Amino acid sequence: MRPKRPLLAIFLPLAMAAGLATSARAESVMLTGTIGNRAILIVDGGAPRTVAPGEKLGNVKLVSVQGDQAVVEVGGQRSTLRMDQPASVGGGGGGGANGSRIVLPAGSGGHFVTPGAINGRSVSFMVDTGATLVSISAADALRIGLDYKKSSPVQINTANGVGQAYRVKLNSVRVGDVEVYDVDALVSEQPMPYILLGNSFISRFSMQRDGDQMVLQKRF
């Protein structure tokens, strides 16, 4: 679950914040399973928890569960979650991809992870300021339907020596309600537990660190 990375590798659990400071804070929520009328939720990149209708996990209240969907409420705003698809709920986010600000609070041990999406397909990201590009394992690339072998192969230096990878262009990369387009990425034949959210994504934002929080504000 925690790959060994040199230099500035960091693992990021993500909480989204949007709108005015007086508004309810948006929450990053993902439905990962159901047990009867209970939902298994991940909130802000934390550990999965089983929640019954009417109960809260942090600021997220579970309203109902039906099949592979769940209705949750944050600050009076309701949203329907679909299995393994991250969503930003509350804070006036509305579930769209028009946001411009990401707030990343440190998790236990100072590590951070976040759900997200590539080309509309659900993935798990690790924000890595030491990675030049968004970096994807071949297994993840195949799972999300990325035909990377049509791209030009390149050689990369790894801890195990020189390896082969493919440079690709991603149509979109989304974290919470923030989405950017035409993002350069690298697909590696080596297995990785997370997709590295490198500087080809991060450079689209201005970055600030404030204690245990990182704030990314979209520049373009």
Side-chain angles (χ1 to χ4, degrees):
M1 293 297 294
R2 293 186 174 86
K4 294 180 179 178
R5 289 283 302 164
L7 302 177
L8 297 177
I10 52 176
F11 306 86
L12 297 171
L14 179 79
M16 308 308 304
L20 300 175
T22 54
S23 300
R25 185 175 69 87
E27 303 280 353
S28 176
V29 188
M30 186 164 66
L31 174 67
T32 62
T34 60
I35 304 174
N37 69 339
R38 294 172 175 258
I40 303 173
L41 301 178
I42 294 177
V43 174
D44 290 349
R49 301 293 187 207
T50 302
V51 185
E55 292 182 346
K56 278 189 172 183
L57 179 57
N59 294 321
V60 179
K61 178 181 178 181
L62 178 65
V63 178
S64 64
V65 174
Q66 184 172 6
D68 61 352
Q69 298 183 7
V71 177
V72 295
E73 180 178 288
V74 176
Q77 178 183 317
R78 292 191 177 189
S79 182
T80 300
L81 305 178
R82 292 170 177 80
M83 197 72 69
D84 295 326
Q85 294 185 15
S88 183
V89 183
N98 299 318
S100 61
R101 187 168 181 262
I102 303 172
V103 178
L104 308 122
S108 59
H111 298 310
F112 304 80
V113 292
T114 177
I118 290 177
N119 297 349
R121 300 293 298 272
S122 177
V123 299
S124 294
F125 284 124
M126 171 183 79
V127 174
D128 186 352
T129 58
T132 302
L133 305 177
V134 173
S135 298
I136 310 168
S137 70
D140 275 325
L142 292 173
R143 182 179 63 81
I144 64 176
L146 201 60
D147 192 3
Y148 65 92
K149 288 195 173 179
K150 288 185 177 179
S151 303
S152 300
V154 295
Q155 288 189 332
I156 57 173
N157 294 318
T158 72
N160 298 320
V162 177
Q164 181 168 285
Y166 297 83
R167 185 159 180 157
V168 299
K169 181 80 75 174
L170 305 176
N171 294 332
S172 66
V173 176
R174 176 169 173 163
V175 177
D177 63 351
V178 180
E179 190 164 24
V180 298
Y181 303 92
D182 297 325
V183 180
D184 289 320
L186 203 66
V187 177
S188 171
E189 298 287 354
Q190 292 193 338
M192 296 188 296
Y194 295 103
I195 292 174
L196 304 183
L197 198 61
N199 286 315
S200 56
F201 176 88
I202 297 170
S203 64
R204 309 284 186 95
F205 300 80
S206 61
M207 179 187 296
Q208 291 182 328
R209 290 295 301 267
D210 182 11
D212 288 337
Q213 282 193 334
M214 176 183 289
V215 179
L216 300 177
Q217 183 69 45
K218 194 174 181 182
R219 297 190 295 116
F220 60 92

